[in-house]
Amino acid sequence: MSEPITRYKNFINGQFTALTGAEIENYNPSNQRLLSTIPQSNEQEVNHALDCAKDAQLAWGLRPAIERAGFLHKIAQGIRKNASELALCITKEQGKVLSLAEVEVNFTADYLDYMAEWARRIEGEVINSDRAGENIFLFRKPLGVVAGILPWNFPFFLIARKMAPALIMGNTIVIKPSEETPNNCYEFAKIVAESGLPAGVFNVVGGDGGGVGHQLTSDKRVDMISFTGSVDTGSRIMATASQNITKLNLELGGKAPAIVLDDADIDLAVKAITASRVINTGQVCNCAERVYVQPNVADEFISKLKVSMEQVTFGDPLLQDNLDMGPLVNKIGLDKVAKMVETAKIQGAEVITGGHIADLGAGYHYKPTVLANCSNDMEIMNKEIFAPVLPIQIVSDLSEAITIANASDYGLTSSLYTRDISKAMQAVNQLSYGETYINRENFEAMQGFHAGTRKSGIGGADGKHGLYEYSHTHVVYIQA
Ligand code: NAD
């Protein structure tokens, strides 16, 4: 018997609003069953959300930050109380395994608490003046209304990554979830509604990118666009934002190089690179996407990686416990990786394991794959794969690896496996990346700073620097 579907409603001005027109259907990627519908919001609804966010902002921004923090703590508590249902909701619509969905939910609650704790630590500056009797003050002020546009890969956490710093700095926000994974965002809104957060401070409008996303990013009432997604969409949003010179924070794609030197702990490198590549079925912006290994250890590394990738378990996460991976999020993603691997084979890549779609009867599954004999002129070494596929290239030394790694369009994440601290420091000094991990898998901390160079984005998230992205600096001169 099929499950009943939920028809979600937009959350605007503290209320779930009536459905007014078209809806978008949402399916489970493990079995293609219909889960829900969300509104394909029309122009009036998006306008209403922006009006309400604008109207609420002044009073919200003038409240002491510690009061704003109180609401974030309440929302974090609500998330913890509903953690199991929320994790299930994410797994159903996105396909990640339940254990990872649980990590995502708990991390989201911790993130809200972490950002709330900045309330008493937001600081301005007092600067000596050249004029007698004058003081110069720098205030950190909210920007106004933030439009948060979300992708589908960590859909629940990314709500908090945008709304928590935005709200603690005194902004209001209108969120548009990805049309692939919107349900968890409406469940988040239910918790917000119960927290008593003032109306208009947090709003959710459903819809597609070209319609609702475009309307949000082209509207004058929006003071900052906080976008996470692909480079192509980021580039389109940048063009749209140029009309109103709207401030941008863009967290885009990656092509993370993992460099394995001949003095590395090979077992550690194999374990960490496998974990990084298969978490969330390889659909993480800072996953290891390509490997550079030195000749002396290449055979050992490749044979151990083959074993490790062949041990990865996958399937429908709601039918089997303790799987390593679920399906890819949609057929577009599956077709994309299948085509990329076929092209790599034609260009000379050797399939060590995998190399094809895994037919489990339902769901978008691709076999964990290792490709050797790759070179930096191949598409697979340059374009984001976003699936459990690892192409490997042999390099003579660290300098060559760094040169090739830096020649990428992307600059989000990089990693290095070595026991030599001077080689680690050479990499840190020469890699042109927003993040570098030494002897560990790629996964960021909330108190760090997540940002990319080149086409991986503009600005960053997390920690103090991520928080201050959601502010502007107001200088005031007071002549006594
Ligand atoms: P996407 O760019 O296809 O879509 C992201 C969002 O943008 C969706 O909500 C979509 O509706 C919206 N959108 C589409 N066109 C738009 C337009 N013209 N104007 C406004 N909004 C529009 O990305 P995706 O497939 O959902 O996510 C995967 C991508 O996200 C990958 O490239 C991944 O690397 C990247 N990502 C980056 C980070 C990071 O922190 N750097 C984190 C997660 C994902």
Side-chain angles (χ1 to χ4, degrees):
M1 205 178 76
S2 60
E3 285 181 54
I5 68 154
T6 311
R7 290 178 75 195
Y8 286 105
K9 295 173 178 170
N10 283 336
F11 184 68
I12 302 175
N13 211 26
Q15 291 179 346
F16 289 95
T17 56
L19 292 167
T20 55
E23 289 166 81
I24 300 176
E25 293 180 334
N26 176 246
Y27 293 87
N28 181 335
S30 293
N31 54 27
Q32 287 86 50
R33 284 200 197 120
L34 182 63
L35 290 171
S36 69
T37 60
I38 61 154
Q40 165 60 37
S41 309
N42 60 35
E43 214 178 313
Q44 291 74 17
E45 286 168 294
V46 176
N47 272 329
H48 180 45
L50 287 170
D51 276 341
C52 295
K54 187 93 191 152
D55 288 349
Q57 195 276 319
L58 184 63
W60 176 248
L62 289 174
R63 281 179 94 136
I66 197 69
E67 287 183 18
R68 298 198 292 265
F71 293 104
L72 294 191
H73 286 307
K74 266 194 188 167
I75 296 166
Q77 282 164 14
I79 288 172
R80 290 196 185 93
K81 219 169 88 190
N82 294 283
S84 311
E85 295 82 0
L86 290 166
L88 191 60
C89 172
I90 297 169
T91 292
K92 276 187 184 170
E93 63 179 326
Q94 198 257 320
K96 61 167 56 92
V97 294
L98 212 44
S99 54
L100 182 59
E102 282 160 5
V103 169
E104 181 173 353
V105 169
N106 289 318
F107 194 80
T108 302
D110 292 350
Y111 197 89
L112 285 156
D113 282 338
Y114 166 76
M115 278 296 168
E117 284 159 15
W118 275 99
R120 290 199 175 94
R121 295 177 177 85
I122 298 166
E123 292 178 346
E125 290 172 33
V126 184
I127 299 172
N128 275 337
S129 169
D130 295 347
R131 296 161 66 122
E134 182 185 69
N135 285 302
I136 305 174
F137 298 87
L138 297 185
F139 292 89
R140 283 200 190 273
K141 293 275 189 73
L143 290 150
V145 175
V146 176
I149 315 263
L150 308 183
W152 47 261
N153 64 341
F154 283 93
F156 194 70
F157 166 59
L158 283 156
I159 306 168
R161 201 183 228 176
K162 298 187 185 311
M163 72 83 89
L167 265 55
I168 206 71
M169 286 306 310
N171 305 282
T172 57
I173 194 162
V174 180
I175 294 267
K176 189 198 90 61
S178 165
E179 47 281 49
E180 296 285 348
T181 55
N183 303 347
N184 66 87
C185 190
Y186 289 98
E187 296 297 333
F188 189 105
K190 286 183 192 166
I191 294 168
V192 169
E194 282 166 17
S195 74
L197 187 78
V201 171
F202 175 87
N203 310 274
V204 177
V205 287
D208 63 345
V212 175
H214 180 75
Q215 192 185 340
L216 282 172
T217 52
S218 56
D219 196 287
K220 261 192 192 167
R221 286 163 290 187
V222 169
D223 301 284
M224 173 178 178
I225 299 162
S226 178
F227 169 74
T228 303
S230 63
V231 170
D232 283 351
T233 307
S235 174
R236 271 198 290 279
I237 287 178
M238 207 168 166
T240 306
S242 69
Q243 292 160 28
N244 295 315
I245 321 289
T246 310
K247 178 172 177 170
L248 282 171
N249 179 287
L250 301 178
E251 302 285 329
L252 309 178
K255 184 73 194 167
I259 303 170
V260 182
L261 298 186
D262 53 13
D263 69 336
D265 177 336
I266 298 299
D267 290 334
L268 181 146
V270 166
K271 193 167 174 234
I273 291 171
T274 304
S276 166
R277 181 70 288 203
V278 305
I279 185 173
N280 207 20
T281 322
Q283 304 165 118
V284 186
C285 57
N286 54 8
C287 265
E289 276 256 342
R290 51 188 167 134
V291 180
Y292 299 102
V293 59
Q294 282 195 278
N296 288 352
V297 289
D299 286 349
E300 181 190 355
F301 175 77
I302 292 170
S303 60
K304 286 182 169 171
L305 189 67
K306 173 180 190 295
V307 173
S308 174
M309 290 289 271
E310 284 174 353
Q311 284 169 351
V312 170
T313 54
F314 57 92
D316 181 340
L318 292 178
L319 295 181
Q320 284 170 272
D321 286 338
N322 301 323
L323 291 172
D324 295 313
M325 302 190 313
L328 292 164
V329 75
N330 56 25
K331 185 156 187 322
I332 296 172
L334 184 67
D335 290 345
K336 181 187 127 183
V337 60
K339 192 158 169 260
M340 282 181 81
V341 172
E342 287 313 310
T343 305
K345 287 184 204 168
I346 292 165
Q347 291 178 331
E350 179 193 351
V351 178
I352 301 295
T353 185
H356 55 87
I357 287 172
D359 186 4
L360 303 188
Y364 309 116
H365 300 278
Y366 199 83
K367 282 275 269 187
T369 296
V370 177
L371 300 174
N373 206 21
C374 295
S375 57
N376 50 328
D377 52 356
M378 289 180 178
E379 177 199 54
I380 200 109
M381 296 302 274
N382 292 288
K383 188 171 152 188
E384 192 178 45
I385 305 169
F386 239 49
V389 172
L390 262 177
I392 303 171
Q393 177 172 348
I394 294 180
V395 289
S396 55
D397 56 18
L398 176 58
S399 296
E400 187 190 358
I402 292 172
T403 304
I404 298 172
N406 285 347
S408 172
D409 272 357
Y410 297 97
L412 188 59
T413 302
S414 49
S415 62
L416 174 71
Y417 295 85
T418 181
R419 291 184 171 101
D420 183 337
I421 186 69
S422 59
K423 288 192 176 143
M425 282 315 298
Q426 181 190 344
V428 168
N429 291 338
Q430 294 179 11
L431 278 169
S432 175
Y433 276 78
E435 301 178 351
T436 300
Y437 297 85
I438 311 283
N439 294 325
R440 60 161 281 200
E441 82 291 1
N442 311 341
F443 216 78
E444 65 270 29
M446 64 180 80
Q447 66 273 38
F449 187 58
H450 176 63
T453 59
R454 298 185 287 278
K455 288 189 180 176
S456 287
I458 296 175
D462 309 336
K464 178 172 76 173
H465 301 287
L467 173 69
Y468 286 157
E469 294 262 325
Y470 290 81
S471 68
H472 79 94
T473 307
H474 184 186
V475 62
V476 176
Y477 302 89
I478 298 188
Q479 185 70 57

